[in-house]
């Protein structure tokens, strides 16, 4: 019988099984919508079950309710405008590097490879900046992360909650020098879809691409760069819906992994030491009139553990930091309450994807909206 690690629909693609296999007989290979899933070389497998013992999708992992909630943004103006929301991730990273530590975060590598990397120099921290709305691979950094932790370096890991769950599975008791930060996550499309979209739909050779951005200050826009040259920029998602397939399918949740819709970590009890995200709903429960203007966005910072609280206190001088009710943060951000729900459109899109390309399936999913829009335009003429 074919050996499997966890149910296909529960697999988060963290790659911990591949990273830990003593026989190196597990490979992450593209499956539905290009998402990576472990494939076991049945011949080499010795049935040690280390993959299943470690798999975060098969274990209950401790989560806790936030101790406090803060609205925050970096005091450094340059750091602030170049970050996605308020730059909390960047300020935390700078602090760890200033202690002589290392940061593991997500970067865009050559050939549109979205992967976690290790950074130990201030001047390289810019490589981690910005939310990449795509799944990042973490299995390659796991051996080095373990070495750094063992050596006693302060180590900061920033990633999606399911990636943090995988890192937590490496330890029975959490080492004091390992800090875990999760970003509030709506779900992730696959790296393969991003690359195919840029190559096939935008007709840009992946070898030319040196950076991809998904958000600009106050805009949700897909931007493709070759060094400083902008090769493509989609219009702002909020003002130009249904014009960029990648961003549209992302925001609608169509191209996420199966596991995103039953995510174990999209809830108020959190998996890491600190949760960060956008502070949507700021001012909805308590007046925010005393908070100065922050027109490039604001981070939501939720310390979860004592260690997380100490870390927030250590960086507070670098942030504009305003305490808010925890419920304000939770009520303003869907994925602090539940995973993105599967609606009929997503179900239809997924079914169609078994027969047609992603582009065709999406067009067939939203054809009524497109038709209504076309009629409106014609009537205006
Ligand atoms: C796929 C995805 C979905 C998100 N969905 C939501 C949401 O629904 N609600 C919400 O409030 N916030 C969401 N965010 C988080 C938000 O976009 C910002 O990343 C967050 O507010 C931190 O911003 P910042 O200004 O502090 O840091 P930034 O300077 O933007 O740094 C971002 C940090 O996140 C890490 N990171 C970036 N991309 C990835 C990735 N693909 N996988 C793992 N780690 C990554 C980087 O290592 C970096 O340290 C999402 C982020 C991602 C990547």
């Amino acid at each position: 019988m074919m050996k499997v690690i966890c149910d296909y629909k529960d697999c988060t693609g963290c790659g911990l099984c591949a990273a830990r296999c003593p026989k190196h007989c597990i490979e992450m290979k593209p499956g539905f919508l290009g998402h990576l899933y472990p494939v076991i070389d049945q011949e080499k497998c010795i049935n040690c079950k280390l993959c299943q013992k470690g798999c975060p999708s098969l274990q209950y992992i401790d989560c806790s309710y936030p101790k406090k909630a803060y609205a925050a943004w970096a005091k450094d103006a340059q750091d602030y405008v170049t970050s996605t929301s308020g730059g909390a991730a960047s300020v935390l990273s700078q602090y760890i590097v200033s202690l002589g530590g290392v940061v593991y975060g997500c970067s865009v590598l050559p050939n549109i490879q979205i992967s976690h990397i290790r950074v130990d120099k201030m001047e390289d921290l810019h490589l981690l900046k910005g939310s990449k709305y795509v799944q990042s691979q973490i299995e390659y950094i796991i051996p080095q992360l373990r070495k750094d932790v063992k050596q006693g370096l302060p180590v900061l890991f920033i990633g999606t909650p399911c990636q943090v769950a995988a890192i937590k599975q490496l330890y029975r008791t959490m080492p004091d020098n390992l800090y875990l930060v999760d970003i509030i996550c709506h779900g992730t499309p696959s790296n393969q879809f991003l690359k195919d979209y840029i190559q096939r739909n935008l007709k840009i050779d992946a070898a030319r691409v040196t950076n991809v951005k998904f958000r600009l200050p106050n805009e949700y826009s897909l931007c493709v760069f070759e060094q400083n040259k902008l090769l493509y920029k989609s219009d702002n998602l909020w003002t130009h819906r249904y014009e960029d397939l990648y961003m549209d399918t992302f925001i609608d949740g169509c191209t996420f992994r199966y596991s995103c819709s039953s995510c174990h970590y999209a809830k108020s009890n959190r998996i890491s030491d600190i949760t960060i995200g956008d502070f949507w709903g700021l001012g909805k429960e308590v007046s925010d009139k005393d908070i100065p203007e922050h027109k490039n966005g604001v981070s939501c910072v939720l310390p979860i553990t004592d260690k997380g609280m100490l870390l927030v206190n250590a960086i507070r001088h670098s942030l504009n930091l305003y305490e808010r009710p925890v419920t304000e943060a939770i009520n303003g951000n869907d994925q602090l309450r539940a995973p993105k729900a599967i609606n009929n459109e997503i179900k239809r899109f997924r079914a169609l994807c078994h027969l047609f390309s992603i582009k065709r399936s999406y067009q067939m999913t939203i054809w009524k909206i497109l038709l209504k829009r076309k009629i409106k335009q014609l009537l205006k003429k």
Side-chain angles (χ1 to χ4, degrees), residues 108-258:
V108 180
L109 302 183
N111 216 19
I112 322 183
Q113 192 59 45
I114 313 299
S115 212
H116 265 56
I117 59 165
R118 175 187 191 270
V119 174
D120 59 3
K121 293 187 189 70
M122 273 310 172
E123 62 268 29
D124 291 340
L125 281 176
H126 68 96
L127 296 170
L128 307 182
K129 270 194 172 252
S131 289
K132 292 90 186 170
Y133 291 141
V134 56
Q135 186 162 25
S136 164
Q137 270 190 279
I138 62 165
E139 74 258 29
Y140 304 118
I141 53 100
I142 288 174
Q144 186 60 42
L145 181 143
R146 295 181 84 176
K147 276 189 202 158
D148 288 334
V149 171
K150 203 169 171 193
Q151 232 187 300
L153 293 176
V155 174
L156 171 64
F157 177 88
I158 306 183
T160 57
C162 55
Q163 292 172 333
V164 170
I167 300 299
K168 267 183 122 167
Q169 282 298 92
L170 296 171
Y171 301 98
R172 269 211 194 106
T173 42
M174 287 307 293
D176 290 342
N177 56 324
L178 174 60
Y179 299 90
L180 300 173
V181 170
D182 74 297
I183 48 179
I184 302 168
C185 180
H186 161 237
T188 50
S190 70
N191 196 158
Q192 180 173 304
F193 173 45
L194 175 69
K195 191 171 168 179
D196 285 353
Y197 178 64
I198 292 175
Q199 296 219 110
R200 291 195 201 144
N201 299 59
L202 305 182
K203 310 265 181 263
I204 299 171
D205 183 2
R208 287 181 68 193
V209 177
T210 53
N211 201 5
V212 185
K213 289 188 182 170
F214 301 78
R215 263 173 75 172
L216 302 173
N218 303 316
E219 253 189 83
Y220 277 64
S221 239
L222 178 69
C223 301
V224 182
F225 294 87
E226 181 181 22
Q227 306 303 344
N228 289 330
K229 190 171 160 197
L230 184 62
L231 302 176
Y232 170 80
K233 178 184 174 299
S234 67
D235 285 321
N236 185 5
L237 181 65
W238 301 128
T239 50
H240 294 74
R241 269 315 301 265
Y242 309 112
E243 290 183 16
D244 182 275
L245 176 71
Y246 188 85
M247 294 304 275
D248 286 323
T249 48
F250 166 71
I251 215 68
D252 286 346
C254 287
T255 45
F256 295 172
R257 293 184 76 87
Y258 279 123

Side-chain angles (χ1 to χ4, degrees), residues 328-367:
E328 188 177 62
I330 291 173
N331 292 330
N333 207 315
D334 289 352
Q335 271 64 69
L336 286 176
R337 299 191 306 278
K340 163 107 183 117
I342 293 282
N343 55 29
N344 286 339
E345 277 71 36
I346 300 176
K347 278 188 199 154
R348 197 175 315 140
F349 171 82
R350 284 183 178 171
L352 288 165
C353 274
H354 289 287
L355 301 168
F356 304 100
S357 68
I358 291 182
K359 184 176 176 184
R360 191 90 188 90
S361 303
Y362 192 61
Q363 283 169 341
M364 286 157 86
T365 304
I366 57 157
W367 71 271

